[in-house]
Amino acid sequence: MPKTAMYVLQGVDPAVIAAAPFDVKVVEAYTDDGRMFTPAEVQQMGGGPGQALLLGYFSLGEAEAYRDYFATIPSGALGPEDPNWAGDFEVAYWTPEWKAVAEAAIDRMIQAGYDGIYFDVVDAFELPWSQAHAPGGDAAGAMRTLVQALSAYAKAQAPTFKVWVNGAEDLLTDQAYVDSIDGLFKENLFYNDDGSAKRPAAETQASLDQLKIAQDAGKDVVAIEYVTGAQKVADVHAKAEAAGMGSYVAKLDLIGVDTEGVLPGQVMHDDGILRDDGPGDAAVLPEPTPPMPPSATPPPVTTTPPGEDGTATPVGPDHHAGGQQGHGDPAGSDAHRSLASEAGTDSFVFVEGGQGPRDPAADLRVEATALMAGAPAPRLHETGDPADGTDPGAGIDVAPHQAPHAGLAHHDIPLF
């Protein structure tokens, strides 16, 4: 059965991420104000055996000026700035310096407890600057080599650590590259970047033919589409199902969990990662995650002003969107429903409508109930010493994330 997946780069709320009914969850590894999520928060979102497969985001094909690593990159390894996104630079990804940056990101994610890493902008080899400066002019070969090396590096430290990539299906003709990855997202497979029109059938088929190489090798593939409306959402689901892959529909800003494409009865499946705590250190499967009951009557939600008793006031779906400038006007649009909460445990129940599963998007009813009254506050990682590795999120100088990058083939978050 194809895996379901979600993609959130802003407004990452651990409680909401944990409750969302998706098998693979790609999240920005930093909060909107630039703090790296603690191991406790990563575990809450699903990191570790059981729950979903939680992947931390890393832009592999571009250097981002607001990241803490940026000052370590030699100026000669930086290419031109993206004319559409201030602070994003093409980077000489074939250099030792950039490889070291990516390895450090892997180290942090392993220490924090992520199940794997998600590499974005892998298709940077298609850009003229990369093609002009890569060794021997082989920009694609340089990217293949980098992904393979980073996968080997990660799995040498944590054998179950997963490596997923975004697009770049042209690289799938190399079997060693296919063997080095565990799954793919493919953006804009069926529709263009803003969802206004379908991609030419010949282009879609060419991508499907290449992606099938990965599928035949047992790799999971998920189509990411930026569409809205029952007809388009149902079309995406039908096409993805016919191709044997999962799908996720979202807004271009990728703020919060988007639920418009959640299917009736959709639940999160266990990630299948083994834990080493069985008898005699034998590996055992984690306990299965029970499905959410089809109907639940939540206790009354009572709120108090923030600060009076340490409990934050619950907020609505536009909590994260209000302070962001993305594509369109999320705060004034109900085209997609996003889930957000400030604290405690969220329960999301997805039930089938009256028309039956043949028209899931039109009949989808989302009952999103925040069960925050009396919920215990998340236990955060205690402050430690960054020098000895006890607090991998502390002391990191990262500027606050601002508006998201929503280009034709990738997402990152530039500084304005």
Side-chain angles (χ1 to χ4, degrees):
M1 182 176 65
K3 282 185 167 54
T4 61
M6 50 168 261
Y7 195 8
V8 181
L9 295 188
Q10 291 190 102
V12 178
D13 184 316
V16 177
I17 299 300
F22 297 92
D23 303 330
V24 181
K25 301 178 178 182
V26 172
V27 297
E28 167 60 45
Y30 292 81
T31 65
D32 287 348
D33 60 3
R35 174 183 63 82
M36 190 172 186
F37 285 107
T38 66
E41 290 169 317
V42 171
Q43 184 179 25
Q44 180 185 9
M45 289 189 282
Q51 303 187 69
L53 186 72
L54 185 70
L55 307 175
Y57 176 92
F58 181 77
S59 177
L60 188 62
E62 280 189 339
E64 299 159 325
Y66 59 89
R67 302 286 189 180
D68 62 312
Y69 64 68
F70 193 78
T72 70
I73 304 174
S75 59
L78 291 175
E81 185 174 18
D82 189 320
N84 298 313
W85 301 101
D88 287 5
F89 293 82
E90 294 184 52
V91 66
Y93 53 81
W94 49 86
T95 61
E97 291 83 2
W98 184 246
K99 182 182 177 186
V101 167
E103 288 175 344
I106 290 171
D107 291 341
R108 287 179 179 176
M109 291 189 193
I110 290 175
Q111 292 166 10
Y114 288 90
D115 297 320
I117 193 167
Y118 170 84
F119 289 139
D120 197 8
V121 205
V122 180
D123 58 358
F125 63 84
E126 298 175 354
L127 298 174
W129 185 85
S130 295
Q131 294 175 351
H133 291 83
D138 186 8
M143 182 60 78
R144 273 197 304 267
T145 298
L146 177 62
V147 172
Q148 290 169 219
L150 293 175
S151 177
Y153 175 83
K155 293 175 187 297
Q157 300 180 73
T160 62
F161 195 79
K162 307 301 182 185
V163 174
W164 281 55
V165 297
N166 186 9
E169 58 270 26
D170 289 348
L171 302 181
L172 294 172
T173 55
D174 184 282
Q175 186 60 47
Y177 174 81
V178 174
D179 293 341
S180 71
I181 64 174
D182 298 287
L184 302 91
F185 279 5
K186 173 57 184 175
E187 294 179 282
N188 311 320
L189 177 60
F190 305 115
Y191 284 81
N192 62 3
D193 61 299
D194 64 1
S196 61
K198 293 182 179 180
R199 284 186 62 197
E203 292 181 10
T204 294
Q205 189 58 53
S207 291
L208 287 171
D209 291 343
Q210 292 173 313
L211 292 168
K212 194 171 187 304
I213 298 173
Q215 292 175 291
D216 288 345
K219 314 297 179 179
D220 293 299
V221 178
V222 179
I224 308 295
E225 299 290 343
Y226 303 101
V227 301
T228 188
Q231 184 175 357
K232 288 182 179 178
V233 171
D235 184 53
V236 166
H237 284 325
K239 285 181 166 61
E241 183 179 3
M245 62 181 65
S247 57
Y248 179 65
V249 298
K251 296 187 296 294
L252 278 167
D253 52 34
L254 294 177
I255 298 176
V257 180
D258 203 298
T259 65
E260 187 178 8
V262 173
L263 295 168
Q266 181 172 316
V267 296
M268 175 174 54
H269 295 90
D270 192 278
D271 58 21
I273 296 177
L274 301 178
R275 65 169 185 254
D276 295 325
D277 60 357
D281 295 326
V284 297
L285 284 170
E287 294 297 322
T289 302
M292 194 70 67
S295 63
T297 302
V301 176
T302 59
T303 64
T304 57
E308 289 187 10
D309 64 353
T311 303
T313 302
V315 295
D318 288 327
H319 161 61
H320 293 297
Q324 303 290 344
Q325 177 182 352
H327 295 261
D329 182 9
S333 171
D334 61 358
H336 289 260
R337 292 158 292 194
S338 61
L339 308 180
S341 76
E342 280 291 336
T345 304
D346 289 359
S347 172
F348 305 111
V349 182
F350 299 89
V351 294
E352 187 175 337
Q355 298 298 318
R358 297 306 300 172
D359 190 11
D363 297 315
L364 176 64
R365 179 169 69 86
V366 178
E367 180 186 341
T369 306
L371 303 179
M372 289 172 281
R379 182 175 62 84
L380 301 182
H381 184 55
E382 296 179 357
T383 302
D385 183 359
D388 63 14
T390 57
D391 186 4
I396 298 174
D397 182 16
V398 184
H401 297 341
Q402 303 294 331
H405 185 148
L408 292 179
H410 69 278
H411 289 267
D412 45 49
I413 307 174
L415 179 67
F416 291 104

